[in-house]
Amino acid sequence: MPPKIKSDSDRKLIRSRILDAARDLFVEKGVQAVTMREIAKRIGYSPTAIYLHFKDKESLLQELCNTDFLALADNLSSILEIKDPIRKMVELGKSYAHFALSHPNHYRLLFMTSRPVQEYCNASDLQHTPNHDAYTLLKQVVDDVFVIGAFASQLTDPELIAQTIWAGIHGVCSLEIVLGKDSWIEWRTIDDRITLMQSALLNGLLKETL
Amino acid sequence: MPPKIKSDSDRKLIRSRILDAARDLFVEKGVQAVTMREIAKRIGYSPTAIYLHFKDKESLLQELCNTDFLALADNLSSILEIKDPIRKMVELGKSYAHFALSHPNHYRLLFMTSRPVQEYCNASDLQHTPNHDAYTLLKQVVDDVFVIGAFASQLTDPELIAQTIWAGIHGVCSLEIVLGKDSWIEWRTIDDRITLMQSALLNGLLKETL
DNA sequence: TTCTTAACTTAACAATGTTAATTTAACGTC
DNA sequence: GACGTTAAATTAACATTGTTAAGTTAAGAA
């Protein structure tokens, strides 16, 4: 029994409810548990009603992805208050890892799952702002370290440095998420692994300071 | 029209054909393209015949995983001929990355996808031999560097070192596989990223050699 | 009042993993 | 050599899922 002519804000609210239901499902049980029918059941609609708000399941996940990507960046941006550039970089890594490990399904969806190539044409001006883009945030933090001349002199490309640091932390976190429960490897504690990764990379990238 | 009483070797051969068909499918089109029906079509059987050889799809993928894991380790073990421990470690990393990037779907299945916890009870003696276990191979190579006293003196746990090096290379490769095609990031070449990761980690983990 | 249309539901389809029932023919045994 | 047993395979069928098409309902416009 459909009441009619929903306002724009009403439609937005329904979109949110769909997204929230979808998020709940995969945060709890992973992406394979996210079915259109279960989402629909949770919000009290029929399964096909979702298609009035999202083109298909892929689009829904895509939007979830983007939304939470921005939320992550926003969360991380609190470290911008830290003055010392190097400590700021270290804390960014720790925060990033903390997010990854406390939201493994999120992290999987964001950084461990191939999706059809994203088109960032809309709202492109918002894309590369530190507050809204985790990578750009990292890049800026690395730049700060770069301008004070703390990196070894042969390292002339902050972008490459940023990508390497990201890869290091990502490697530790993603291995933990995928294989952390496997017993054929005698895992050291995740804290030890993160710490060593950070200190080794810093040690290897920064100028010798003696 | 079933001919009957297949010998053990016949059954093994059929298993192989199933595994090969499955491998072909996902090497070419990724794991989502691996369907029981398509496998069956390729080997000229009905879909349900596969269940005479594998408990379910998960088991099939599991076995594929294990088989190719051993093949990888075998492939990598050729670097054992290298004498210099440090160069050996570097070459292992390069070979590993080369495998990952030239077999992205394999790599995804092996190291980027959570599977139900493996039980390595059977043939457990084969599990931790360098020739058959990529991680153990890395561990041994790291040990070799460790015993010549090349790591910084405060690093006393070769296992932790190995896990960190693995995570570094894995991070570069897995990011490339998942996000390498995304344009919102100005990726440096994959070679540059691998090289910097290796030199930074080495630099950060080894003793200062001046 | 009647027509249009937004909002939604029900029905239905195709693809997929999987199980149950059925068929076929090779083998051992009397 | 006939015959039952059983391995090997197939066909039929079911449940789940994403998705489309057709139908339904009621709010607003004419």
Side-chain angles (χ1 to χ4, degrees), chain B residues 2-6 11 37 45-46 48-49 52:
Chain B
K4 187 161 151 184
I5 301 261
K6 307 245 168 164
R11 287 188 57 87
R37 283 171 166 85
Y45 279 112
S46 74
T48 53
L52 301 173

Side-chain angles (χ1 to χ4, degrees), chain B:
Chain B
M1 309 91 178
K4 187 161 151 184
I5 301 261
K6 307 245 168 164
S7 66
D8 271 14
S9 68
D10 279 341
R11 287 188 57 87
K12 248 181 195 166
L13 196 128
I14 294 183
R15 278 179 78 89
S16 292
R17 294 218 295 142
I18 294 173
L19 286 169
D20 288 344
R23 188 181 293 107
D24 279 358
L25 277 171
F26 87 77
V27 162
E28 192 187 351
K29 304 184 195 172
V31 74
Q32 105 291 346
V34 181
T35 71
M36 301 303 251
R37 283 171 166 85
E38 181 63 26
I39 295 172
K41 191 190 292 179
R42 296 212 171 188
I43 62 174
Y45 279 112
S46 74
T48 53
I50 300 174
Y51 290 87
L52 301 173
H53 299 271
F54 295 90
K55 178 171 164 291
D56 53 19
K57 191 183 179 183
E58 186 58 39
S59 299
L60 201 167
L61 290 176
Q62 188 80 253
E63 181 156 334
L64 197 67
C65 220
N66 291 345
T67 303
D68 294 347
F69 192 92
L70 296 186
L72 161 66
D74 217 52
N75 194 291
L76 294 183
S77 68
S78 66
I79 58 99
L80 283 175
E81 298 164 9
I82 299 174
K83 291 285 163 51
D84 178 49
I86 294 179
R87 205 171 78 78
K88 184 162 59 175
M89 194 166 69
V90 171
E91 289 306 315
L92 178 61
K94 287 199 195 305
S95 298
Y96 182 93
H98 184 262
F99 171 88
L101 298 171
S102 54
H103 304 80
N105 287 316
H106 262 98
Y107 195 77
R108 243 189 286 257
L109 189 64
L110 289 172
F111 298 119
M112 299 168 64
T113 309
S114 297
R115 340 214 107 268
V117 181
Q118 306 211 10
E119 291 148 37
Y120 274 96
C121 304
N122 56 345
S124 64
D125 42 334
L126 278 179
Q127 285 314 318
H128 288 282
T129 340
N131 275 354
H132 292 147
D133 184 334
Y135 176 74
T136 307
L137 177 61
L138 168 63
K139 178 62 171 35
Q140 178 180 312
V141 168
V142 168
D143 276 341
D144 289 349
V145 177
F146 191 79
V147 295
I148 65 170
F151 285 119
S153 52
Q154 76 272 18
L155 299 176
T156 58
D157 183 358
E159 195 92 42
L160 178 58
I161 297 174
Q163 291 170 10
T164 300
I165 292 175
W166 181 19
I169 302 289
H170 168 76
V172 176
C173 294
S174 60
L175 276 189
E176 169 67 14
I177 289 173
V178 171
L179 300 176
K181 297 282 179 292
D182 268 24
S183 52
W184 53 270
I185 185 169
E186 293 178 20
W187 287 115
R188 293 304 179 246
T189 71
I190 185 65
D191 283 337
D192 282 354
R193 280 179 280 150
I194 291 172
T195 301
L196 182 57
M197 176 62 76
Q198 289 202 296
S199 62
L201 282 180
L202 279 192
N203 220 341
L205 293 171
L206 295 183
K207 247 170 200 150
E208 330 274 337
T209 52
L210 62 135

Side-chain angles (χ1 to χ4, degrees), chain A residues 25-38:
Chain A
L25 278 170
F26 87 78
V27 162
E28 192 187 352
K29 306 184 194 173
V31 74
Q32 105 289 346
V34 180
T35 71
M36 300 304 251
R37 283 171 165 84
E38 181 62 26

Side-chain angles (χ1 to χ4, degrees), chain A residues 31-79:
Chain A
V31 74
Q32 105 289 346
V34 180
T35 71
M36 300 304 251
R37 283 171 165 84
E38 181 62 26
I39 295 172
K41 190 190 293 180
R42 297 212 171 189
I43 62 174
Y45 280 117
S46 75
T48 53
I50 299 175
Y51 289 87
L52 301 173
H53 299 271
F54 295 91
K55 178 170 163 289
D56 53 19
K57 190 182 179 182
E58 185 58 39
S59 299
L60 201 168
L61 290 177
Q62 188 81 254
E63 181 156 333
L64 197 65
C65 220
N66 291 346
T67 303
D68 295 348
F69 193 91
L70 297 187
L72 161 65
D74 216 52
N75 195 290
L76 294 182
S77 67
S78 65
I79 58 100

Side-chain angles (χ1 to χ4, degrees), chain A residues 75-169:
Chain A
N75 195 290
L76 294 182
S77 67
S78 65
I79 58 100
L80 283 175
E81 298 164 8
I82 300 173
K83 292 283 162 50
D84 177 48
I86 295 180
R87 205 172 78 78
K88 183 161 61 175
M89 195 165 70
V90 172
E91 289 306 315
L92 178 62
K94 286 198 196 306
S95 297
Y96 181 93
H98 185 261
F99 171 88
L101 298 172
S102 54
H103 304 79
N105 287 315
H106 262 99
Y107 195 78
R108 242 190 287 258
L109 188 64
L110 290 170
F111 297 119
M112 299 169 64
T113 309
S114 296
R115 340 214 107 268
V117 182
Q118 306 211 11
E119 290 147 38
Y120 274 95
C121 303
N122 55 345
S124 63
D125 42 332
L126 278 178
Q127 285 314 319
H128 287 283
T129 337
N131 274 354
H132 292 147
D133 184 333
Y135 177 74
T136 307
L137 177 61
L138 168 63
K139 177 62 170 35
Q140 176 180 313
V141 168
V142 168
D143 277 340
D144 290 348
V145 176
F146 190 79
V147 296
I148 65 170
F151 285 120
S153 52
Q154 76 272 19
L155 299 176
T156 57
D157 183 357
E159 193 92 41
L160 178 59
I161 297 173
Q163 291 171 9
T164 300
I165 291 175
W166 182 20
I169 301 289

